[in-house]
Amino acid sequence: MASGSGNFNSHENDNQIANSSQFAQDNPLYLQSSDSPGMKLVSECFDGTGFGNWKRSMIIALSARNKLCFVDGSLPKPLATSSSFKSWSRCNDMVISWLLGALFKSI
């Protein structure tokens, strides 16, 4: 199984991901059964004020779920032909939904 090291560019890692029926919990592509697009990661939605505190809370929450790599770019988007592309896209979409859900609608 691929480790959470963020190196998903090699063919070997693609094969390891493709051959696993379920990702290990330390793999950034792993989604817990409780993960859902409407889930709130932070208690306060960002309303345009207090960005530093909101950002810190989001970083901590994403890091705790092993998804910070989708925001900081340390887990690059695989090629569309890669066996991990669909899983990466699904997780990326989940992270985007969490981020959008943590913003006031007016932003």
Side-chain angles (χ1 to χ4, degrees), residues 58-75:
M58 284 303 297
I59 288 173
I60 291 168
L62 289 169
S63 177
R65 300 201 81 72
N66 200 21
K67 300 295 184 265
L68 186 58
C69 56
F70 287 90
V71 176
D72 68 13
S74 61
L75 180 62

Side-chain angles (χ1 to χ4, degrees), residues 43-88:
S43 59
E44 301 279 331
C45 287
F46 181 62
D47 63 359
T49 62
F51 177 73
N53 289 334
W54 178 85
K55 177 183 173 184
R56 182 175 184 271
S57 294
M58 284 303 297
I59 288 173
I60 291 168
L62 289 169
S63 177
R65 300 201 81 72
N66 200 21
K67 300 295 184 265
L68 186 58
C69 56
F70 287 90
V71 176
D72 68 13
S74 61
L75 180 62
K77 181 178 181 178
L79 296 174
T81 56
S82 169
S83 60
S84 61
F85 179 76
K86 286 183 180 180
S87 296
W88 185 94

